[in-house]
Amino acid sequence: YELAQVLLAMNASVDDRGSKGDCTPLMEASSGGYIDIVKLLLENTADVNSQSQAGNTALIYACCGGYEDVVEVLLNHGADIEAHNENGHTPLMEAASGGHVNVAKMLLERGACINSHSNEFKESALTLACYKGMEVNGLQSKNIRCTMLTFIFSIPEKRPV
């Protein structure tokens, strides 16, 4: 955090993509769950909706990692809740795929579309929640999926069609 402060004070580019031209510092901080750095970058006008070459945003990265605090800060700074990456995955789909129930709840409560579908395989958040297994200490965990499915079906206006 302190090093990021120093670099920004010395006029480092807040949206620099490096020589590969891919991820911004905000995307990197979001993918690691570094909330203080995320806040610092946003305070220094980082583009919250910038996309990587694969179409991922800081919000998509934070949802993949299940970083609730980062997701909340990004949403509060105007992150696009319906951004799609090159596979057509939204932040909700990534949260569902990773079994991140609280992140999925947060996105749904903020109006995320539950019936978006990916490009090639036409997967929905529900499909991803059902399809992808979650390994916890080498054991298959079905409780995470059950909790997510129970939550999804408990919201009448969000029920899959």
Side-chain angles (χ1 to χ4, degrees):
Y1 175 76
E2 289 177 33
L3 183 54
Q5 284 180 312
V6 169
L7 293 170
L8 288 169
M10 298 302 294
N11 297 318
S13 174
V14 73
D15 287 318
D16 181 70
R17 291 176 179 266
S19 61
K20 291 184 180 179
D22 196 18
C23 290
T24 64
L26 182 61
M27 291 176 205
E28 296 291 355
S30 297
S31 70
Y34 304 118
I35 186 66
D36 291 334
I37 297 175
V38 167
K39 289 178 181 178
L40 177 67
L41 293 167
L42 290 169
E43 289 167 6
N44 283 272
T45 68
D47 182 355
V48 74
N49 288 311
S50 187
Q51 292 184 294
S52 70
Q53 290 177 4
N56 292 314
T57 63
L59 181 60
I60 289 174
Y61 285 121
C63 290
C64 285
Y67 302 116
E68 298 169 41
D69 51 353
V70 175
V71 169
E72 184 173 2
V73 167
L74 293 170
L75 289 172
N76 289 342
H77 279 83
D80 183 358
I81 203 165
E82 294 301 329
H84 287 73
N85 64 18
E86 66 183 5
N87 296 320
H89 284 199
T90 63
L92 178 61
M93 290 177 188
E94 294 297 344
S97 180
H100 304 299
V101 178
N102 290 335
V103 171
K105 285 181 184 180
M106 187 183 312
L107 295 168
L108 288 167
E109 288 167 355
R110 297 260 194 138
C113 179
I114 201 166
N115 290 316
S116 290
H117 291 88
S118 66
N119 298 337
E120 186 177 354
F121 298 109
K122 305 302 180 206
E123 304 154 314
S124 68
L126 179 59
T127 305
L128 290 167
C130 293
Y131 172 72
K132 293 214 174 173
M134 186 69 157
E135 294 290 326
V136 180
N137 296 327
L139 301 173
Q140 186 78 12
S141 173
K142 294 186 173 129
N143 290 340
I144 292 171
R145 299 288 176 226
C146 291
T147 302
M148 184 172 291
L149 294 175
T150 300
F151 175 76
I152 289 171
F153 283 108
S154 71
I155 305 174
E157 67 275 10
K158 299 285 185 186
R159 285 195 184 121
V161 184

